[in-house]
Amino acid sequence: MTVISRNPADPADLVITVDTPGADGTRAAVERARAAQGAWYASGAAARSAALTRAADAVEAHADELTALAVREVGKPAGEARGEVARTAAILRYYAQAPYAPAGAVHDTAAGPGLLLTRRRPYGVAGLITPWNFPLAIPVWKAAPALAAGNTAVLKPAPEATACALRLAELLGLPEGVLTVVPGGAEEGAALVDTADVVSFTGSTAVGRAVIAATAARGIPAQAELGGLNAALVLPDADIEQAADHLAAAIAGYAGQKCTATSLVIAVGAAYEPLREALAKRLAAEVCGPVIGEAALDRLTTAVDTARAGGASVLTGGHRSDGPGWSFAPALLAEVPAGHPLLGEEFFGPLAVLLPAADLDEAIAIANSSRHSLAASVHTRALDTALAAADRLAAGMIRINAPSTGVDFHLPFGGTGSASYGEREQGTAALEFYTASRTVSLLPPA
């Protein structure tokens, strides 16, 4: 088979065409990675740290090239693409220090002389399956901690981000077999899940559930980041104009193609009417780039059309726009009928539903009803309200007076319910995920 990646802003622009290795080729790549893992781990902390530092240097040295490639292949706005390249280098530098971190602890024995040690050791080969929306940062925030801990990695990127993944791996300049990119689709992904020693997945809920089932059957560790249906709560005392700015950024930034994008806007009490007007006006002025493909555009327009047919009000947007390629006008809907998919599913585009709530209790109940609660935002001037909401919201990440989007790579990343499975990504939590703890009893001869 062949992977074909096109520019979403100009579908006639063919970015890359590459043959896929199939299941056998993927398994062979895993075996090469397994053969390289022993030497990579044995090279020691200094060598792994230096390799990741050199990789960060290479990303920074080719920042303009990588920015342009991300803009071209996945339609990312230039400013966001530059930010992603900088973040990619920063993640590499952060995990370049990880090989020097303690890999265990020493404990006293229950009785008598000796030592009890806990030691963390790499699993072997990390199988990484990544999406297209962050074609540089997500592969690195999975690969860097895995490599720092002494694993090797095989990366299967989304077909739409193949060129970014291949060029990134080339620039990182790691030893043969330490990081391998396997282009492809479902066949390659399934083969990777069936042969790797630890698996990290980011993508759709349906595919993620299949990954979870397959890894559970094999008894290997897995983490899966799936869909996000994220809520923003706006209280009556909030700065409505500022909240509208934050919400518009979280709804329409990168055409809403972020798992932390806001999909449900919950206006509490008297905040509803002014927020309705301010947010619709702000979104109508939003200049939005293309969504990733024609199927994504069709899914968004169909969702708006069916909601409208069911009695929803389209406050702004919701149609194919005059922008480049597969562009969609950012949409805000109200009075969406109960049971409509917009209230329970992620559509991964610049589309949000405005909902009323009588008070904070109702707003939190609505937000917590989402099965895919990854991120949430709360907009209020009252510290006690902010703290109460942060304590009661089920989301894995909560941001106060800020957009729901935005991730700190040195802190744990993940959601609740169907949004995430397994241990958290990023920060020191990732180092724990890619290693197994072993207990060693060191006792003197009898």
Side-chain angles (χ1 to χ4, degrees):
M1 295 181 63
T2 302
V3 163
I4 299 174
S5 178
R6 296 184 180 275
N7 181 347
D10 180 10
D13 177 19
L14 181 62
V15 179
I16 193 172
T17 301
V18 61
D19 291 335
T20 59
D24 289 344
T26 302
R27 284 189 284 266
V30 171
E31 289 309 311
R32 290 192 298 272
R34 187 165 286 121
Q37 191 268 328
W40 172 247
Y41 178 57
S43 67
R48 295 198 301 278
S49 176
L52 293 176
T53 298
R54 288 193 299 270
D57 292 341
V59 169
E60 290 175 341
H62 293 83
D64 290 344
E65 176 194 349
L66 290 172
T67 296
L69 183 57
V71 170
R72 183 183 175 208
E73 187 169 34
V74 300
K76 180 156 285 197
E80 291 208 24
R82 280 192 294 272
E84 182 175 349
V85 172
R87 176 178 292 257
T88 300
I91 292 168
L92 287 163
R93 294 197 188 284
Y94 173 77
Y95 285 111
Q97 301 308 306
Y100 293 111
V106 178
H107 304 265
D108 286 338
T109 61
L115 293 174
L116 293 179
L117 312 176
T118 57
R119 305 182 72 187
R120 303 200 71 89
R121 288 295 180 265
Y123 284 105
V125 179
L128 313 177
I129 301 175
T130 57
W132 49 263
N133 59 329
F134 286 87
L136 305 170
I138 292 183
V140 164
W141 86 39
K142 292 181 185 294
L147 298 175
N151 300 279
T152 52
V154 177
L155 167 65
K156 207 295 289 180
E160 298 89 342
T162 299
C164 285
L166 290 170
R167 183 57 177 146
L168 176 65
E170 183 179 36
L171 288 174
L172 296 187
L174 295 164
E176 183 72 22
V178 171
L179 175 62
T180 305
V181 175
V182 175
E187 180 181 1
E188 288 75 17
L192 183 55
V193 170
D194 286 343
T195 52
D197 301 309
V198 56
V199 172
S200 181
F201 169 89
T202 299
S204 72
T205 299
V207 176
R209 286 173 177 165
V211 169
I212 293 165
T215 53
R218 293 185 58 214
I220 66 169
Q223 62 183 191
E225 294 300 331
L226 312 173
L229 187 72
N230 308 304
L233 282 61
V234 182
L235 281 294
D237 69 327
D239 182 328
I240 296 298
E241 291 300 323
Q242 182 189 67
D245 284 343
H246 289 163
L247 292 174
I251 293 166
Y254 188 23
Q257 298 173 129
K258 301 177 183 179
C259 57
T260 53
T262 295
S263 300
L264 305 175
V265 178
I266 306 169
V268 179
Y272 185 85
E273 288 300 333
L275 182 65
R276 175 182 172 125
E277 179 180 353
L279 183 55
K281 181 180 179 180
R282 180 66 179 78
L283 283 173
E286 187 76 22
V287 178
C288 200
V291 294
I292 193 62
E294 190 169 12
L297 180 60
D298 290 343
R299 185 171 64 250
L300 292 166
T301 54
T302 298
V304 172
D305 291 344
T306 57
R308 183 189 287 113
S313 300
V314 180
L315 304 181
T316 187
H319 53 82
R320 184 166 189 161
S321 72
D322 295 330
W326 295 300
S327 291
F328 177 82
L332 181 66
L333 281 69
E335 295 90 42
V336 172
H340 191 278
L342 283 173
L343 298 175
E345 299 176 14
E346 179 187 47
F347 278 80
F348 220 58
L351 173 59
V353 175
L354 178 64
L355 299 167
D359 52 29
L360 181 62
D361 289 341
E362 184 180 2
I364 290 174
I366 294 171
N368 287 349
S369 68
S370 170
R371 296 181 296 114
H372 313 287
S373 191
L374 175 59
S377 65
V378 180
H379 304 264
T380 178
R381 288 186 171 97
L383 178 60
D384 57 344
T385 301
L387 292 174
D391 188 52
R392 296 170 59 192
L393 285 167
M397 296 177 292
I398 300 165
R399 292 166 62 82
I400 308 299
N401 294 322
S404 60
T405 52
V407 174
D408 297 299
F409 60 78
H410 57 291
L411 296 177
F413 174 88
T416 60
S418 298
S420 298
Y421 171 87
E423 297 185 34
R424 294 302 198 219
E425 292 198 274
Q426 304 199 67
T428 57
L431 297 169
E432 295 181 1
F433 170 70
Y434 288 110
T435 55
S437 179
R438 300 178 182 180
T439 299
V440 179
S441 300
L442 183 61
L443 304 176

